[in-house]
Amino acid sequence: MLKEPISITALSSISALGSTLDEVWNAYLKEDHYLSEVGIGGKTIWASHMPKSINEEIQQLRQSDIKYKPLDDTVLFAIYAARKAVKDAGWKNESKFGINIGSSRGATTLFEKYHEDFLKEGNAATLSSPTTTLGNISSWVAHDLKSKGPEISHSITCSTALHAVLNGVAWIQSGLTDKFLVGGSEAPLTPFTIAQMQALKVYSIVSSRAQSRDDFPCKAMDLNKTKNTMVLGEAAALACLEKGVDSNALALIEGIGYATEPLEHSVSISTDAKCFQDSMKMALGESEPRDVDAIVLHAPGTIKGDQSEYLAIKKIFGENHPYLTTNKWKVGHTFGASGLLSLEMAVLMLLKQQCIPGPFFKNQEQNNSLKRIMVNAVGFGGNAVSVLLHRPGT
């Protein structure tokens, strides 16, 4: 358990689901997914794209400052979402806050472009290094917001955003700062990134546009599927964290947990995800498993990934486990941003007092009010994170 709760005072995301909490919630209420067939690198694949309206605003941001024109989409996504998060948190004229925004893949678009040019010409472009370093995201957000606190960038693959939450909590608990902006940004819809996932044989190969359950492109939490169905999406998702129980808190962070899986190979995970068992135990702290009302799973849509996390949950919570859900069947796997999108979903469920079901896993009916929700994420390398959220005032 934490020394004292940490308040989440604002959330901001951009993805195929929209750019406001109302848009995102309404998207979750719909039974449709937000994935589409697109052409990337000469191949037709499933993916989740930003809506046209958000893309237009990102381009306006790019053109608003000559320094922003050469930046990768991951940076611009983060700047856009950060401006809104800080505004919603009421951090007006505030500069003493930390920033930790990570990415799994970083500046994929620019890196692939610069490398292609290098292979053709034998020379690297002048801005190839400064615009593709991972530190770009937090440093440019700090520049844009004129913040003067610590700025951190990292990549811990798919658990990147929740590791940013851990870092923010640790800094605040240490007393070195009272506020932290945390999250992740990802723009992975590039030819080489897609090819890497296809090489691992985890990418969805459903070719039909049909909307029947059997033809959903991503079958996250379908424990009976016989093929891997991961689908990638682009997104940025950020949260404003503040010390103690704030009167405007959307939700409270009550517990955090983390663990690393012993690896057999670079993408391995045990049958019952020992890393998740350990991270969930740690996040629970002194709380009883029965105190958790729902869990937002990582559930990437792969056979082993979904099944191992489910088995880990049964190890900790038993057969009478909390309500289980995920958002990846709807919005895809947004890599470094995915954990914060899941946290946003959990907070909205607490605020609206309503669980969001998936199309595959059958839960028992929600009978009780939602007080506590756990959020999971794990990445290549077995870096698992679990965050326990608590509804304020309960």
Side-chain angles (χ1 to χ4, degrees):
M1 300 292 287
L2 303 181
K3 296 177 183 177
E4 61 179 326
I6 301 294
S7 294
I8 300 173
T9 54
L11 288 164
S12 175
S13 71
I14 51 173
S15 70
L17 303 178
S19 60
T20 69
L21 290 181
D22 285 341
E23 288 176 350
V24 172
W25 179 249
N26 288 332
Y28 279 131
L29 293 178
K30 296 178 181 177
E31 295 183 356
D32 298 336
H33 64 73
Y34 283 71
L35 311 174
S36 57
E37 288 184 298
V38 297
I40 297 177
K43 300 178 181 178
T44 299
I45 62 150
W46 286 98
S48 75
H49 268 288
M50 295 286 185
K52 181 180 178 182
S53 58
I54 295 178
N55 274 328
E56 289 174 349
E57 293 188 52
I58 294 298
Q59 292 312 309
Q60 290 175 12
L61 174 59
R62 185 185 297 278
Q63 300 302 320
S64 67
D65 190 320
I66 192 170
K67 296 188 295 296
Y68 292 175
K69 289 184 178 181
L71 299 180
D72 188 76
D73 280 349
T74 51
V75 179
L76 296 176
F77 291 170
I79 291 175
Y80 182 95
R83 287 179 178 181
K84 188 173 186 304
V86 168
K87 179 181 178 182
D88 290 350
W91 295 359
K92 298 177 181 178
N93 302 316
E94 179 71 59
S95 63
K96 294 182 179 179
F97 60 88
I99 296 174
N100 187 176
I101 306 172
S103 179
S104 174
R105 303 286 156 165
T108 51
T109 299
L110 287 185
F111 195 91
E112 290 179 32
K113 175 185 178 297
Y114 285 139
H115 188 254
E116 182 180 4
D117 293 344
F118 171 74
L119 293 178
K120 289 178 181 177
E121 302 170 10
N123 295 306
T126 303
L127 294 178
S128 59
S129 176
T131 57
T132 59
T133 57
L134 193 57
N136 260 299
I137 301 179
S138 290
S139 59
W140 277 108
V141 169
H143 161 80
D144 187 76
L145 298 177
K146 297 179 175 56
S147 67
K148 296 180 181 178
E151 56 182 70
I152 307 165
S153 296
H154 66 237
S155 172
I156 310 179
T157 60
C158 307
S159 55
T160 292
L162 288 195
H163 270 284
V165 173
L166 300 188
N167 286 343
V169 168
W171 275 81
I172 292 172
Q173 294 271 289
S174 74
L176 293 174
T177 185
D178 291 338
K179 300 176 181 179
F180 235 95
L181 176 66
V182 300
S185 182
E186 205 75 50
L189 303 183
T190 63
F192 187 53
T193 306
I194 298 297
Q196 290 176 70
M197 297 303 105
Q198 290 175 329
L200 289 171
K201 302 187 186 307
V202 297
Y203 212 87
S204 176
I205 57 173
V206 176
S207 59
S208 171
R209 285 182 178 273
Q211 294 293 299
S212 72
R213 177 169 297 190
D214 290 338
D215 291 323
F216 270 46
C218 178
K219 296 185 179 181
M221 283 190 68
D222 179 351
L223 301 179
N224 297 313
K225 60 179 172 288
T226 57
K227 295 180 180 179
N228 291 320
T229 62
M230 180 188 288
V231 174
L232 294 188
E234 53 188 5
L238 305 178
C240 290
L241 308 184
E242 299 190 35
K243 181 180 180 180
V245 180
D246 190 275
S247 59
N248 295 318
L250 302 176
L252 304 176
I253 297 176
E254 188 175 74
I256 56 173
Y258 49 88
T260 302
E261 185 85 7
L263 295 178
E264 295 180 8
H265 53 78
S266 58
V267 295
S268 68
I269 190 166
S270 55
T271 303
D272 52 3
K274 187 63 166 60
C275 57
F276 268 138
Q277 292 182 50
D278 292 343
S279 67
M280 288 188 292
K281 282 181 185 176
M282 182 177 178
L284 279 171
E286 297 176 2
S287 298
E288 295 292 333
R290 64 175 178 271
D291 295 334
V292 179
D293 302 301
I295 303 174
V296 179
L297 281 72
H298 180 71
T302 62
I303 296 171
K304 190 168 185 180
D306 292 6
Q307 290 177 343
S308 62
E309 185 175 4
Y310 177 62
L311 291 176
I313 288 170
K314 291 207 295 183
K315 287 273 189 178
I316 302 303
F317 294 91
E319 293 293 335
N320 190 26
H321 53 67
Y323 192 100
L324 305 182
T325 188
T326 184
N327 57 15
K328 291 186 179 65
W329 67 271
K330 181 180 283 284
V331 72
H333 193 348
T334 55
F335 276 163
S338 64
L340 217 295
L341 278 185
S342 294
L343 186 142
E344 178 186 63
M345 179 185 184
V347 171
L348 286 170
M349 286 166 54
L350 287 173
L351 290 172
K352 304 294 184 179
Q353 286 296 288
Q354 181 177 343
C355 287
I356 297 298
F360 309 111
F361 188 85
K362 185 172 179 58
N363 284 284
Q364 295 181 350
E365 291 295 322
Q366 175 195 342
N367 296 319
N368 302 320
S369 62
L370 297 174
K371 296 181 180 180
R372 288 182 177 85
I373 298 180
M374 186 172 287
V375 183
N376 284 341
V378 69
F380 290 154
N383 297 293
V385 178
S386 299
V387 176
L388 183 60
L389 301 178
H390 189 189
R391 182 160 63 100
T394 61

